[in-house]
Amino acid sequence: MKQIQTISILSLSLLTLFSCAEQNDRADGYGNFEATETTISAESNGKLMAFNVEEGQQLTQGSFIGYIDTIPLALKREQLGVSKELIASKSRGVLSQINVLNAQLAAAEVNKVRIENLIRENAGTQKQLDDINGEMAVIRQQIKSIEIQNAPVMTELKSIDVQIKQINDQIAKSKIINPINGTVLAKYAEPNEITAFGKPLYKIANLSVLELRVYVSETQLSSIKIGQEVEVKIDTNEDMEAFTGTVTWIASEAEFTPKIIQTKEERVALVYAVKVNVKNDGRLKIGMPAEMNLSTNNKL
């Protein structure tokens, strides 16, 4: 009987030890790697004349990728330039009339001064002064009338200038310039295809640092803070590979654990999402599962 009791106690002790070891081996959080993916779209319409992009290619910010046909835009800009010159010539004709009238007005002002001097010396008449004032009023009215006629011409010139600026902007946007450093994830177009504004050309993401989104319980929140270094592990052929990560974000509101994380009982619990940045040496991939340990010293 004693032998049976001893065996039972020993079995219970071993079971408790294995349970504790299993509990200690569990990670503090589970999740998948993510990256900020940017879809680059066409900003102009036309034929894709050149497009030098391949999936997996490393691109730097500001690098020239290709361009969309700009001949129609260049021809339209040239046509607007001809129209502007034609309208400007009309405007110059109107302004020449104003210059003539301004010269007449200046001559009339000189005559007015002369008549005023004659009147002071009793050598001139009031009628002469009234006549010259009337003549100057007529000239001013003519100048004002011509300026009113020229206003629409000047407005049209400004409108053409705006249209030329718009075309120059479209021509500039016909050049495909890569906006960020990263790796091409997908390619959606080929050279000589017809593209349109907003049509996706390729997708790119910076894979030098990946983001691991994990979920922790409310009781673990006191043990984690932004800027804290944590251990991140991924599965390998033989064992688990460890990386160092940095906590960059902690959710302010709780949510239900995603179904892909852990057991049925734990899926009904409210947890908090945490983002951990991990430097990628090329082995980490988008969507790869991983686990997080808040401390490497609390695991037996």
Side-chain angles (χ1 to χ4, degrees):
M1 186 67 178
K2 285 185 177 181
Q3 185 176 3
I4 295 176
Q5 291 179 346
T6 302
I7 294 175
S8 300
I9 294 173
L10 180 60
S11 300
L12 182 60
S13 300
L14 289 174
L15 180 61
T16 304
L17 178 61
F18 289 147
S19 299
C20 292
E22 183 181 356
Q23 179 69 25
N24 288 334
D25 286 340
R26 292 186 57 186
D28 295 309
Y30 300 86
N32 298 83
F33 284 107
E34 302 174 350
T36 302
E37 302 177 358
T38 303
T39 299
I40 309 303
S41 303
E43 296 185 81
S44 183
N45 303 322
K47 186 177 182 180
L48 199 57
M49 302 300 293
F51 189 52
N52 304 316
V53 166
E54 297 298 335
E55 293 183 355
Q57 181 179 354
Q58 297 282 339
L59 298 178
T60 58
Q61 182 179 7
S63 57
F64 178 77
I65 302 303
Y67 69 96
I68 300 170
D69 185 15
T70 59
I71 292 180
L73 293 173
L75 293 175
K76 186 175 181 180
R77 182 176 59 183
E78 184 176 351
Q79 181 182 11
L80 287 172
V82 173
S83 300
K84 179 181 178 180
E85 182 59 30
L86 179 61
I87 296 172
S89 64
K90 295 180 180 179
S91 179
R92 287 193 293 269
V94 173
L95 293 177
S96 65
Q97 297 179 33
I98 294 178
N99 292 334
V100 171
L101 291 173
N102 282 328
Q104 294 177 1
L105 182 61
E109 289 177 347
V110 172
N111 289 334
K112 178 182 177 181
V113 173
R114 184 180 299 112
I115 292 172
E116 288 175 343
N117 291 334
L118 291 174
I119 291 175
R120 281 194 293 269
E121 297 175 0
N122 295 322
T125 64
Q126 184 63 38
K127 182 178 183 305
Q128 291 176 311
L129 183 59
D130 293 340
D131 289 343
I132 196 66
N133 284 332
E135 181 181 348
M136 292 173 62
V138 171
I139 294 174
R140 290 191 181 97
Q141 188 61 38
Q142 290 176 338
I143 292 174
K144 184 177 181 180
S145 176
I146 293 175
E147 288 176 344
I148 292 174
Q149 294 176 12
N150 191 51
V153 178
M154 299 303 297
T155 301
E156 191 171 357
L157 284 174
K158 292 180 180 179
S159 176
I160 291 179
D161 286 336
V162 172
Q163 293 180 57
I164 292 176
K165 288 181 180 179
Q166 290 175 340
I167 291 179
N168 288 335
D169 180 65
Q170 291 177 0
I171 290 176
K173 289 180 178 178
S174 295
K175 298 178 182 179
I176 305 171
I177 307 298
N178 182 57
I180 61 173
N181 296 324
T183 303
V184 178
L185 303 180
K187 181 181 179 181
Y188 304 122
E190 295 292 340
N192 298 316
E193 289 185 355
I194 302 300
T195 188
F197 179 85
K199 183 178 180 180
L201 298 176
Y202 65 99
K203 182 189 293 183
I204 189 172
N206 188 352
L207 303 183
S208 61
V209 176
L210 290 188
E211 186 177 79
L212 176 64
R213 179 188 287 267
V214 297
Y215 298 87
V216 300
S217 64
E218 183 178 0
T219 57
Q220 293 173 300
L221 284 180
S222 60
S223 302
I224 190 170
K225 62 182 179 179
I226 294 177
Q228 176 181 345
E229 288 191 351
V230 296
E231 182 185 57
V232 174
K233 288 186 177 182
I234 62 172
D235 293 325
T236 60
N237 292 332
E238 299 179 356
D239 200 355
M240 300 196 75
E241 186 82 19
F243 294 80
T244 299
T246 303
V247 177
T248 59
W249 175 80
I250 302 172
S252 57
E253 296 181 356
E255 59 182 292
F256 284 102
T257 309
K259 293 182 179 180
I260 61 173
I261 306 297
Q262 302 187 14
T263 65
K264 178 179 178 181
E265 290 76 12
E266 290 167 327
R267 287 202 299 265
V268 300
L270 290 175
V271 293
Y272 292 82
V274 175
K275 293 180 181 180
V276 179
N277 279 0
V278 181
K279 189 175 181 180
N280 186 10
D281 59 2
R283 290 176 293 173
L284 305 181
K285 308 296 181 183
I286 296 175
M288 177 183 289
E291 61 183 47
M292 177 198 71
N293 294 322
L294 294 179
S295 175
T296 59
N297 298 325
N298 60 355
K299 307 295 179 187
L300 297 180

